[in-house]
Amino acid sequence: MKRPIILLTGLAAVLAACGQQAEPETPAIPMAQPGSPTVTVGADGASSPAADAKTADGAGVITAVDPAAATITINHEAIRSIGWPAMTMKFKASPAVLQEAAVGDRIQFDLTVRDGAGEVTAIYPH
């Protein structure tokens, strides 16, 4: 009678050779930290572009609005959650956000950052 060939790797192979069985390990799942990237995984197990996105909020003064380019420029305070110092920056923004924006407005804003570039997703009077 032939014995089946079983291929084992790593610790399981060593223990099997000694007549012992390896206990399965439960992989550790790291807890998300504040300011850590948001990862979205679809039903197929693939991660979406949100995998490298961070969200933050800031405060500042609108210095320019350009609906044609879909941008808003904000002289913002430091945004500590993503490590940005106070500065004036141009951000992408949706038409709905730009419709609410006016030069000189002091605002608070929600921000999504991907690959170092930000998009203002909402603004609120401050």
Side-chain angles (χ1 to χ4, degrees):
M1 178 174 172
K2 290 187 177 181
R3 300 180 90 197
I5 298 174
I6 300 173
L7 297 177
L8 301 173
T9 59
L11 180 60
V14 172
L15 290 174
C18 296
Q20 298 178 6
Q21 208 165 19
E23 292 191 28
E25 289 185 28
T26 303
I29 299 173
M31 299 300 291
Q33 300 296 317
S36 64
T38 301
V39 177
T40 304
V41 179
D44 62 355
S47 61
S48 73
D52 63 348
K54 294 182 182 182
T55 57
D57 57 273
V61 176
I62 298 173
T63 60
V65 178
D66 187 348
T71 61
I72 183 172
T73 305
I74 303 171
N75 180 358
H76 66 78
E77 299 169 3
I79 305 175
R80 288 182 177 81
S81 63
I82 54 176
W84 286 0
M87 66 180 104
T88 300
M89 292 183 69
K90 185 183 293 187
F91 299 99
K92 288 285 185 187
S94 71
V97 169
L98 296 174
Q99 187 175 13
E100 300 295 319
V103 172
D105 284 353
R106 178 142 182 80
I107 60 164
Q108 290 202 255
F109 58 96
D110 294 337
L111 180 66
T112 299
V113 180
R114 285 184 190 89
D115 298 324
E119 179 177 353
V120 173
T121 56
I123 61 172
Y124 314 96
H126 182 66

